[in-house]
Amino acid sequence: MKKILTVLVAVMIGFAASAQYKAPKIIAHRGFHASEGAARNSLNALKAAQDANIWGSECDIQLTKDGEVLVVHGPNHPGTKGAKPRVNVNRSTKEQVQAILLESGETVPTLEEYLQQTAKSKNTKLIIEIKNQLTPQLETEIVQKTLALVDKYQLGENVEYIAFRPWVCWELARLAPEGTKIAYLNGDYTPAYCKAMGCAGIDYNYKILKKKKHWIKQAHKAGMYVNVWTVNKDEDIRWCIQNGVDFITTDDPVLVQTIIDEMCK
């Protein structure tokens, strides 16, 4: 009987150890671009994330000099130094940017096209990173245009926002519908400061949170969520899960899901 009890206790401890971590949700960084025929920030990358039923797909948006909102990282397109031709998105027209194809042969999509694709699958949220613009006025303009397009397609509950610039976060908090999820990216503010800025979460590089791990608990205590970017290595993914982050942004959703399956189920 004593042996049986010992075995049962060992089994229960083993089960508890394997199921002690909460599974974070996965966000595909610039879409599931590792898929065949896709490129970062492309429509195919978003479609691939939707087809794979990934919780979220992140993208970057920029404002062209003729006022078009494009899904492109920038500020230069393509991002590869020395590439020819190469343009600065903010100082170029939509036509000039789209004339340079992505490495997959796809055209740089407009935000409207991206939202049209987003609307086809409500299972995958769209995480929009509004990139730094040339002036605060232009940052307000891109926020206004983005919110108007999201409202046009009635996607408010399926779209979240992230930004490095505090001004963009403040403008989103001021102009977006109540309850809109906004997270700050730069990693230099405490969770309390971000909450006062109107953010629902922090979205910091995992290296910053490794140095300031207490910010994870502070954010949760304040009712905020914690996302980490861009986590691609096995040991870093495990650290994030062990320390209770809510979301992991990654270029390798398959690897992250494999580790979640191992550690959280």
Side-chain angles (χ1 to χ4, degrees):
M1 178 62 73
K2 195 171 182 180
K3 276 188 175 180
I4 294 172
L5 285 172
T6 302
V7 171
L8 284 173
V9 169
V11 169
M12 290 175 69
I13 290 172
F15 178 78
S18 65
Q20 64 181 312
Y21 302 117
K22 179 183 175 183
K25 294 179 172 64
I26 300 171
I27 298 172
H29 182 232
R30 303 181 197 169
F32 195 3
H33 56 81
S35 302
E36 186 176 352
R40 295 170 187 265
N41 283 316
S42 68
L43 279 173
N44 281 344
L46 174 58
K47 291 175 188 175
Q50 292 172 325
D51 291 343
N53 205 31
I54 298 171
W55 183 88
S57 185
E58 185 258 3
C59 71
D60 307 294
I61 62 170
Q62 291 276 7
L63 191 67
T64 64
K65 77 173 184 180
D66 54 347
E68 184 68 59
V69 183
L70 298 182
V71 179
V72 59
H73 184 273
N76 295 309
H77 170 65
T80 309
K81 290 183 179 179
K84 293 181 181 180
R86 191 180 192 223
V87 297
N88 181 288
V89 178
N90 307 130
R91 301 182 188 279
S92 304
T93 65
K94 170 190 172 184
E95 183 179 4
Q96 289 170 325
V97 176
Q98 290 189 323
I100 304 172
L101 299 180
L102 300 171
E103 59 266 28
S104 58
E106 300 170 79
T107 301
V108 171
T110 64
L111 177 59
E112 184 151 21
E113 290 170 333
Y114 229 70
L115 292 173
Q116 289 169 350
Q117 180 61 40
T118 299
K120 294 178 182 179
S121 174
K122 297 296 179 70
N123 292 328
T124 298
K125 290 188 180 293
L126 183 64
I127 316 301
I128 297 177
E129 180 183 341
I130 300 179
K131 304 300 289 186
N132 300 351
Q133 302 301 297
L134 296 174
T135 66
Q137 291 82 359
L138 289 172
E139 289 178 346
T140 297
E141 181 181 339
I142 193 172
V143 167
Q144 290 172 327
K145 288 184 172 181
T146 299
L147 292 174
L149 283 170
V150 170
D151 181 64
K152 175 181 176 179
Y153 289 97
Q154 299 182 338
L155 288 169
E157 293 185 1
N158 210 52
V159 174
E160 301 182 7
Y161 302 91
I162 54 178
F164 279 97
R165 191 87 83 185
W167 179 258
V168 173
C169 293
W170 294 332
E171 289 295 81
L172 282 166
R174 181 175 72 88
L175 297 169
E178 186 176 352
T180 298
K181 291 185 177 179
I182 306 158
Y184 179 61
L185 287 165
N186 209 40
D188 54 344
Y189 291 158
T190 65
Y193 193 97
C194 293
K195 186 171 184 178
M197 198 162 63
C199 294
I202 57 172
D203 189 348
Y204 287 171
N205 186 287
Y206 69 94
K207 294 177 184 177
I208 291 172
L209 289 181
K210 278 190 172 184
K211 294 177 181 177
K212 298 187 177 182
K213 189 168 65 172
H214 59 286
W215 279 1
I216 298 173
K217 288 185 178 179
Q218 286 182 8
H220 287 157
K221 190 174 181 180
M224 303 173 74
Y225 57 85
V226 178
N227 189 7
V228 284
W229 57 269
T230 300
V231 193
N232 297 324
K233 293 182 179 179
D234 186 292
E235 62 269 27
D236 297 325
I237 296 164
R238 291 178 187 277
W239 184 92
C240 292
I241 294 171
Q242 289 165 352
N243 286 278
V245 306
D246 304 292
F247 304 91
I248 294 177
T249 298
T250 180
D251 291 310
D252 195 343
V254 174
L255 176 61
V256 176
Q257 186 61 60
T258 299
I259 296 173
I260 288 173
D261 290 343
E262 174 196 328
M263 296 181 65
C264 305
K265 293 184 180 180

